[in-house]
Amino acid sequence: MARTTQTTRRIDQEVVDALQAALIAGVQAAEAWNRAQRHLTETTLLTPLHDDLVEDAEKTYQRMYETRSLISQRLRAEREGKS
């Protein structure tokens, strides 16, 4: 079934809305993860037994940042009609 212009616009808007929601959720998740990292860092002041968790948490945060960047790029492209 061929898409109409109206259907295409609706789908495009739904994609933009979903990417926007994902970006907002990603920012909120990163903020929460940053709080978790601070708590883990507190444990390293008490004992070195959990240093590996701090390292893993940092890697996770970096990956979250990279993914948020990609979402932001895609969102920008969708808004500009370049996807």
Side-chain angles (χ1 to χ4, degrees), residues 15-51:
V15 169
V16 167
D17 293 346
L19 288 171
Q20 180 67 43
L23 186 58
I24 290 168
V27 168
Q28 293 168 342
E31 290 170 353
W33 194 252
N34 194 16
R35 287 190 302 276
Q37 285 181 279
R38 285 196 304 270
H39 293 299
L40 289 172
T41 300
E42 289 173 12
T43 67
T44 65
L45 299 174
L46 303 170
T47 177
L49 293 175
H50 308 295
D51 288 353

Side-chain angles (χ1 to χ4, degrees), residues 51-82:
D51 288 353
D52 60 323
L53 291 175
V54 174
E55 292 173 23
D56 288 345
E58 179 59 28
K59 290 176 188 175
T60 299
Y61 184 82
Q62 289 300 320
R63 184 65 184 128
M64 290 171 76
Y65 179 83
E66 292 167 5
T67 302
R68 282 191 349 249
S69 256
L70 293 172
I71 293 169
S72 183
Q73 290 171 12
R74 301 278 178 94
L75 177 59
R76 199 169 25 258
E78 283 289 339
R79 285 181 172 158
E80 295 171 358
K82 297 178 181 177

